[in-house]
Amino acid sequence: MTTPQRIIILRFSAMGDVAMVASVLNAFAAQNPSVEMIMVSREGFKPFFDGIDNLTFHPIQPKTLHKGIDGLFKLYQELRKYKPTAIADLHDNLRSRAISTFFRLTRVKIKRIDKGRAEKKALTRKENKIFRQLKHTVERYADVFRELKFDVRLNYQLKRDPQQLPLKAKALFENNQTKKIGISPFAQHVYKVYPLDRMEEVIASLSTLGYELFIFGGGKFEKSVAEEWALTYSNTHNLIGTFNLSEELAIISNLDLMVSMDSSGMHMASLVGIPVVSIWGPTHPYAGFLGYGQVESDCIQIDHPARPNSIYGNKPCMCGVHSSMDLIDPETIVNKIKQKLHG
């Protein structure tokens, strides 16, 4: 009898990167239906993987149960029970390397992502910048499975499949005559955020044009900003702090368009097949983090030799006395949205 193939897949954070893994595993499951997958990530990211065939989600709890080397050994002991035939390390950090090392001692096959660090450094350095398109991150993920001798072909097509709306969101979608636009205006790093006063101009224009707007993402501060916008502009709704991740994905799947930073909002929209107009500052689509199935022509960005200066957007990108985000005009964003929705 042939030994069943079981792959343990390691990718613990960040939210957008984990969402991109889900896009790859959707394709992998369809093309390798006999292979069992065990996805190891933070518990909050489980909704990204709901509905993927032959996938079991195993949560890592890095701040409690799986903290430190003793905690990682405990996680290894939990994962051993699956009797994996291979480990796909899609993270390549200290935690994933520790888990891989434990399994290597039992002769389980290990393959690890090539993050292309040298090419990314060349893309973002100030002097002698090598400005070219790098391999997409989802291809880097898929390469790990290919090295394990599995066939994975990515078609980069958005697959729209509207999910059932949460009960408390249905009233917001009653008007079938208006286009529904999600806006994810925040990001983990402040330098990736389009200035909020300028984003407010975008929202004001879209509201005047009669679009239905839904604000996603963020914590207490972001919620207060979104609530103020919702009170000020008609047809504008704050969803922050109201819905869980599964419900947000369902809502996004019913939108016509998402407007996002280079952030998890873009990747969540990709996962449910929704096109995105994305706004880029210190980062650049060339680094390989454009949403799966999205196109560069829908990216709003300026051409400037200082860009990109960062992979993660954790430092400012100045173009003279202005940041690269400040040089993007709100009207440019509004016009791109109108073009995308109406041709």
Side-chain angles (χ1 to χ4, degrees):
M1 179 181 289
T2 305
T3 303
Q5 298 188 84
R6 296 190 186 94
I7 306 176
I8 286 177
I9 302 153
L10 308 174
R11 179 74 222 198
F12 310 137
S13 62
M15 181 180 277
D17 299 277
V18 177
M20 282 193 283
V21 172
S23 293
V24 175
L25 297 190
N26 271 312
F28 182 91
Q31 295 162 32
N32 301 273
S34 65
V35 180
E36 297 177 31
M37 296 175 284
I38 298 92
M39 180 67 209
V40 185
S41 192
R42 294 175 185 258
E43 192 163 13
F45 300 150
K46 182 181 182 298
F48 292 147
F49 303 93
D50 290 345
I52 298 179
D53 293 338
N54 296 329
L55 186 143
T56 299
F57 187 88
H58 192 104
I60 179 174
Q61 302 175 51
K63 294 183 179 180
T64 53
L65 189 62
H66 303 130
K67 185 177 181 180
I69 193 65
D70 291 340
L72 290 173
F73 187 72
K74 181 177 180 61
L75 176 60
Y76 158 70
Q77 290 177 312
E78 294 170 12
L79 297 176
R80 273 187 70 184
K81 296 176 182 177
Y82 294 106
K83 298 181 179 179
T85 53
I87 309 296
D89 180 358
L90 306 186
H91 202 144
D92 190 20
N93 71 348
L94 290 174
R95 289 191 182 104
S96 66
R97 281 179 173 264
I99 296 297
S100 297
T101 299
F102 294 144
F103 275 108
R104 198 182 301 279
L105 296 174
T106 61
R107 300 183 182 276
V108 174
K109 186 183 295 184
I110 314 288
K111 292 298 178 182
R112 181 175 292 121
I113 188 173
D114 175 6
K115 290 187 173 181
R117 289 183 174 93
E119 332 169 65
K120 290 175 180 174
K121 184 176 181 180
L123 176 67
T124 56
R125 66 194 178 197
K126 188 174 181 179
E127 305 292 339
N128 302 313
K129 186 187 295 290
I130 301 178
F131 187 67
R132 65 183 179 89
Q133 177 67 60
L134 305 184
K135 182 179 289 189
H136 198 295
T137 298
V138 292
E139 286 293 343
R140 295 185 187 276
Y141 290 155
D143 281 346
V144 178
F145 295 102
R146 292 168 185 144
E147 289 180 24
L148 290 169
K149 309 303 180 187
F150 294 103
D151 185 28
V152 188
R153 300 175 306 281
L154 304 178
N155 62 19
Y156 294 91
Q157 298 298 308
L158 292 175
K159 184 180 178 181
R160 182 161 189 166
D161 182 21
Q163 302 171 24
Q164 184 173 351
L165 285 165
L167 187 61
K168 54 188 174 181
K170 285 185 176 180
L172 304 178
F173 282 77
E174 285 180 345
N175 187 347
N176 295 324
Q177 305 305 310
T178 62
K179 295 289 186 181
K180 310 293 191 294
I181 302 174
I183 299 181
S184 182
F186 309 108
Q188 181 180 1
H189 298 295
V190 65
Y191 303 115
K192 290 204 294 187
V193 175
Y194 188 55
L196 295 181
D197 58 337
R198 313 203 89 192
M199 179 56 79
E200 185 171 358
E201 291 183 48
V202 173
I203 290 170
S205 295
L206 296 175
S207 173
T208 300
L209 291 168
Y211 297 116
E212 203 88 35
L213 309 177
F214 302 86
I215 315 296
F216 292 85
K220 187 175 180 180
F221 167 75
E222 291 82 1
K223 181 180 179 180
S224 67
V225 172
E227 286 177 340
E228 185 65 29
W229 288 341
L231 287 171
T232 306
Y233 303 103
S234 60
N235 307 320
T236 302
H237 312 283
N238 166 48
L239 304 188
I240 300 173
T242 304
F243 299 95
N244 62 34
L245 182 58
S246 291
E247 291 170 330
E248 286 189 347
L249 286 169
I251 293 169
I252 293 170
S253 75
N254 285 273
L255 299 175
D256 295 291
L257 183 73
M258 176 68 94
V259 178
S260 175
M261 307 298 100
D262 168 21
S263 63
S264 59
M266 169 174 59
H267 301 295
M268 289 169 65
S270 289
L271 197 54
V272 293
I274 299 302
V276 178
V277 169
S278 52
I279 306 168
W280 302 69
T283 59
H284 196 285
Y286 275 12
F289 292 97
L290 181 61
Y292 183 78
Q294 307 298 337
V295 293
E296 192 178 345
S297 59
D298 290 337
C299 298
I300 307 290
Q301 54 187 333
I302 64 162
D303 292 325
H304 194 281
R307 292 190 61 245
N309 74 330
S310 169
I311 296 299
Y312 304 108
N314 54 349
K315 51 187 176 181
C317 181
M318 302 305 295
C319 305
V321 298
H322 300 284
S323 77
S324 53
M325 280 294 202
D326 285 329
L327 294 173
I328 297 173
D329 191 87
E331 188 177 1
T332 301
I333 300 171
V334 173
N335 287 340
K336 169 56 74 173
I337 292 167
K338 289 160 61 178
Q339 176 197 346
K340 190 71 180 173
L341 290 173
H342 306 291

